Amino acid sequence: MTFLIFPDHATGSRLAESVGHSPGAQVLSHPVSGRPWLIGQLPAKALTVHRGRDRCLVTVGVTAAPADAQAELDRLSAPAAADALARRFPGDRHVLLSMDGLVRAQGTLSSTRQLFVVRYDGVDIAADDPEPLIQLTGASLDEDAIPTRLLAPWTPWPFTDQVMWRGIETVPMGERLDWDRSGRSRRTRWWSPPEPELPLEQAATATRAALAEAIQVRAAHTDLSADLSGGLDSTSLSFLAGRHQRGMILTSWEAANPADEDQFWAARAAQQLSGMHQVMSLQDAPAWFSDLDGHGELEGPFAWIRTRGKLRYQAELLASRGSKLHLTGHGGDELYTATQLFLPALMDRPLRALPYVKAYRAVHRWPWRETVTELNRSESFANGLRRTATLLDKPIEQYLRKPEFGWGIGYRMPIWSTADGLEAARRQLHRTADEDPQPMSPHRWVHALLQDVRLCGDTIRRVSRWTERSGVAWHAPMIDDAVVEAACSVTAWDVAMPDRYKPLLAEAMRGAVPDEFRLRRTKSEYSADVYAGVRRMRPQLLELCEDLELARRGLVDADRLRDLVIRPPQSSFAFIPLISTLAVESWLRTVDSGSAPKSAPNQEQLTRQGGLG
């Protein structure tokens, strides 16, 4: 599903007419003027339209309209007044409004429904996918953005909101686009994270209500299937979805480690659910790293490149069994896992915080002196980026061995980065720090949570675009707007202690998920799958090392990367940078294969003019 949004303006109308309409494309017009507004693939089941005399509200995605939506629309005095109404559409959707020549558009907090925008020929054009904007404008690749995409364990915010193509911008979390009658837009904030002050019981009630609604709206939309890995996240979604659709397909992957206990818990949960439990075997399914070729996606590196082949296999299997929408528990780790980044939030009451500090120190074996020093260090977000730049060449295996209570988990460049690649990443960090960006929340743990939610949503959007080719959309209900807001609202004191596993989700699922699953305190890890994938795909990985686009750009030393493939390290942490490296390499092969636009943008037409905000 891809669509373009045009302003209610004569130039917008002309540009809309110049866009070639693909087979099956639909055109929705602005009320009153009749100019083109939305053009794209808009399946009827994913589209709801509410019309008034001089206004029209559209949702694209999976949602349910509130009963009084039409009455609320009729009462609106201006598009800017639609925040409350837009928030009442649950699920995974864009909300778009055209009214008396003015236009507004917003996606989701997580970016599962994202907006991209470019200023072209004096007006702003938006889309849910940057590719049509790249093609429309002939945008050129931003080479300076590549080095930070090599950072591990993942690219930090705000670089994740940076589009890889010049002149195209993304709409940040909690902001929308508002067009005036000149055809130009500005970004307007409609959401900010709540203060984290709710006690666990109240936040759990809000979480349960939000998750229940997220599942209900999807179950009413189409036939579902669901992951059932055995962990708390997927198990919770499976039990909630089982209340609405009996006989769902529940999918699990056979683990490379025969001692993996998640498999036991998945089978046990499946016995209590009414669905068919489909265990996908290692022998039949593609291995990790089995699908590294470029596939024509220009947006940017695909974070789940390691399992892209497995995703296609799973989607084809589910489609053959009748599923149209697949539920995944991704987002649960991001929202509910306690990390050391909670500790700075507790330091205003140091005596009460002492047991928490002792617990984390025991888990990670931190020295007392370094722990106290780090807890007493206060830094702005910009200075945090500068400090990150000094740590990029440290081994990634060390990033949890020393206390780091900054604005995110310590980021590292791969050890196979060249000196030029390392320096390029540092320049980007310093350049961004000099712009003094403000964090998404003044609380470090909330900022980190929102950053990770944003990363998760971006990935799920890209995954779904990939799996929809096989006929099955991928959804992560745990990162719906209302669920994210509930997770941000809980007080750190109630969820920070590492001796409880995902306490907010566990409390929210009281009575919905049997206690044997809800209160489970163990969790499997999947390093065996990484080693097995590298071993099985070693010939293909070595062949890739012979002709690296990243090496041609001077960012990666192919010999050092080849050494990792030939002699896998003892610590699986060393493989984390491999994933980001392969994601960038695969994407660059798409860009360099000729799929990217050949022409440079007309700078008189394409200009950021200080940004679109």
Side-chain angles (χ1 to χ4, degrees):
M1 186 190 318
T2 299
F3 59 87
L4 288 151
I5 307 172
F6 295 91
D8 196 351
H9 186 272
T11 301
S13 179
R14 178 173 55 78
L15 290 174
E17 294 298 334
S18 72
V19 174
H21 297 176
S22 60
Q26 197 171 350
V27 180
L28 270 69
S29 300
H30 288 287
V32 184
S33 74
R35 292 170 176 146
W37 175 23
L38 305 180
I39 300 178
Q41 304 293 333
L42 301 169
K45 202 165 186 180
L47 185 69
T48 63
V49 180
H50 300 270
R51 298 186 186 276
R53 181 174 55 83
D54 63 346
R55 60 200 65 188
C56 182
L57 185 145
V58 171
T59 62
V60 184
V62 178
T63 188
D68 59 349
Q70 186 64 53
E72 286 290 311
L73 176 63
D74 292 339
R75 281 194 292 267
L76 285 180
S77 58
D83 282 352
L85 175 57
R87 293 181 68 159
R88 293 178 59 204
F89 285 86
D92 186 52
R93 77 293 175 269
H94 288 93
V95 181
L96 316 169
L97 175 62
S98 177
M99 179 178 172
D100 192 26
L102 305 176
V103 181
R104 64 171 276 163
Q106 70 187 63
T108 55
L109 296 175
S110 69
S111 82
T112 53
R113 299 284 172 170
Q114 181 58 293
L115 288 170
F116 302 87
V117 61
V118 67
R119 183 156 293 165
Y120 187 68
D121 207 8
V123 299
D124 293 340
I125 312 299
D128 66 331
D129 180 340
E131 186 157 339
L133 301 180
I134 297 169
Q135 300 291 358
L136 173 68
T137 63
S140 58
L141 178 64
D142 186 354
E143 297 277 353
D144 292 341
I146 297 174
T148 55
R149 297 303 171 115
L150 293 171
L151 289 173
W154 45 74
T155 303
W157 185 88
F159 302 103
T160 46
D161 278 358
Q162 179 182 8
V163 182
M164 306 297 291
W165 300 88
R166 296 187 184 279
I168 300 175
E169 297 184 3
T170 188
V171 178
M173 173 181 268
E175 295 186 13
R176 66 174 191 263
L177 286 175
D178 289 334
W179 280 265
D180 60 24
R181 292 181 180 87
S182 74
R184 293 195 174 190
S185 68
R186 62 185 176 89
R187 295 195 300 259
T188 305
R189 178 157 294 281
W190 64 269
W191 183 87
S192 295
E195 276 298 303
E197 54 191 14
L198 286 185
L200 180 63
E201 184 177 349
Q202 291 183 37
T205 298
T207 296
R208 178 164 178 172
L211 276 174
E213 185 174 40
I215 297 296
Q216 183 179 15
V217 73
R218 289 167 170 86
H221 182 79
T222 192
D223 294 328
L224 305 178
S225 56
D227 280 336
L228 183 59
S229 69
L232 179 60
D233 306 329
S234 65
T235 302
S236 297
L237 293 185
S238 294
F239 274 97
L240 289 175
R243 296 180 170 188
H244 300 281
Q245 289 190 7
R246 300 183 62 83
M248 283 193 312
I249 305 169
L250 306 169
T251 59
S252 304
W253 290 101
E254 180 187 3
N257 179 6
D260 178 277
E261 62 175 274
D262 277 1
Q263 297 177 110
F264 164 79
W265 287 101
R268 192 177 179 94
Q271 291 174 356
Q272 300 186 36
L273 292 161
S274 63
M276 183 188 77
H277 189 204
Q278 175 73 56
V279 179
M280 295 166 287
S281 72
L282 290 173
Q283 182 177 358
D284 295 336
W288 280 35
F289 311 117
S290 62
D291 193 2
L292 300 179
D293 293 333
H295 291 276
E297 275 202 15
L298 298 183
E299 178 174 339
F302 182 60
W304 286 3
I305 190 70
R306 70 192 188 280
T307 56
R308 188 163 59 178
K310 296 170 75 72
L311 285 167
R312 179 169 56 183
Y313 172 87
Q314 185 179 9
E316 290 173 351
L317 175 65
L318 290 169
S320 70
R321 303 287 174 82
S323 174
K324 297 292 190 298
L325 190 155
H326 185 70
L327 304 178
T328 175
H330 287 92
D333 289 344
E334 291 81 352
L335 291 180
Y336 304 118
T337 302
T339 74
Q340 68 268 29
L341 299 184
F342 281 86
L343 292 179
L346 313 180
M347 287 302 102
D348 57 339
R349 301 179 66 180
L351 290 180
R352 183 182 175 188
L354 187 59
Y356 294 79
V357 177
K358 287 182 175 179
Y360 279 98
R361 181 178 171 272
V363 169
H364 298 294
R365 301 181 181 180
W366 295 327
W368 265 115
R369 182 188 297 274
E370 292 184 24
T371 302
V372 173
T373 299
E374 182 71 9
L375 284 172
N376 286 326
R377 183 175 52 78
S378 177
E379 65 182 4
S380 67
F381 181 73
N383 284 338
L385 291 176
R386 295 185 180 97
R387 189 167 65 93
T388 294
T390 68
L391 301 173
L392 293 184
D393 58 348
K394 305 299 181 185
I396 195 168
E397 295 93 328
Q398 296 180 6
Y399 86 92
L400 284 179
R401 294 179 185 172
K402 292 187 176 181
E404 291 185 23
F405 309 132
W407 292 93
I409 299 298
Y411 304 101
R412 307 289 190 262
M413 283 289 277
I415 60 172
W416 47 83
S417 299
T418 62
D420 287 346
L422 179 63
E423 184 56 32
R426 283 179 170 151
R427 279 199 306 271
Q428 284 293 93
L429 285 164
H430 281 291
R431 186 179 303 160
T432 301
D434 289 344
E435 297 171 358
D436 195 26
Q438 298 305 301
M440 288 184 279
S441 167
H443 306 283
R444 297 184 204 178
W445 70 271
V446 178
H447 169 83
L449 179 155
L450 294 175
Q451 169 191 261
D452 294 352
V453 162
R454 193 79 168 168
L455 281 162
C456 181
D458 178 80
T459 303
I460 291 296
R461 174 171 51 81
R462 303 279 302 280
V463 167
S464 191
R465 189 186 302 158
W466 176 244
T467 60
E468 282 174 9
R469 300 177 185 181
S470 300
V472 184
W474 238 245
H475 277 233
M478 286 192 174
I479 51 175
D480 278 10
D481 289 359
V483 186
V484 172
E485 181 159 356
C488 294
S489 69
V490 68
T491 174
W493 292 103
D494 285 351
V495 293
M497 185 64 83
D499 65 342
R500 296 184 64 189
Y501 185 65
K502 299 183 178 178
L504 177 55
L505 181 59
E507 183 63 26
M509 292 297 101
R510 184 184 296 274
V513 174
D515 283 354
E516 61 179 314
F517 308 106
R518 188 176 67 86
L519 301 178
R520 177 186 164 200
R521 297 171 65 90
T522 58
K523 187 73 180 77
S524 296
E525 57 87 34
Y526 295 95
S527 58
D529 296 85
V530 182
Y531 284 99
V534 171
R535 184 169 56 249
R536 185 169 162 184
M537 299 305 299
R538 183 172 288 135
Q540 290 85 345
L541 291 170
L542 291 175
E543 182 180 353
L544 195 75
C545 291
E546 296 299 322
D547 187 31
L548 284 176
E549 296 288 347
L550 282 165
R552 271 193 285 275
R553 282 172 162 82
L555 300 175
V556 161
D557 183 330
D559 290 335
R560 297 183 71 182
L561 179 59
R562 185 183 299 107
D563 187 62
L564 175 92
V565 175
I566 295 173
R567 287 177 285 274
Q570 291 184 344
S571 170
S572 62
F573 277 112
F575 281 118
I576 295 175
L578 176 64
I579 295 168
S580 58
T581 299
L582 293 177
V584 176
E585 177 67 21
S586 175
W587 170 69
L588 285 175
R589 286 170 179 248
T590 290
V591 172
D592 292 344
S593 69
S595 300
K598 298 296 186 186
S599 60
N602 180 337
Q603 292 302 324
E604 292 182 357
Q605 294 180 315
L606 174 58
T607 173
R608 297 170 78 173
Q609 299 180 349
L612 303 175

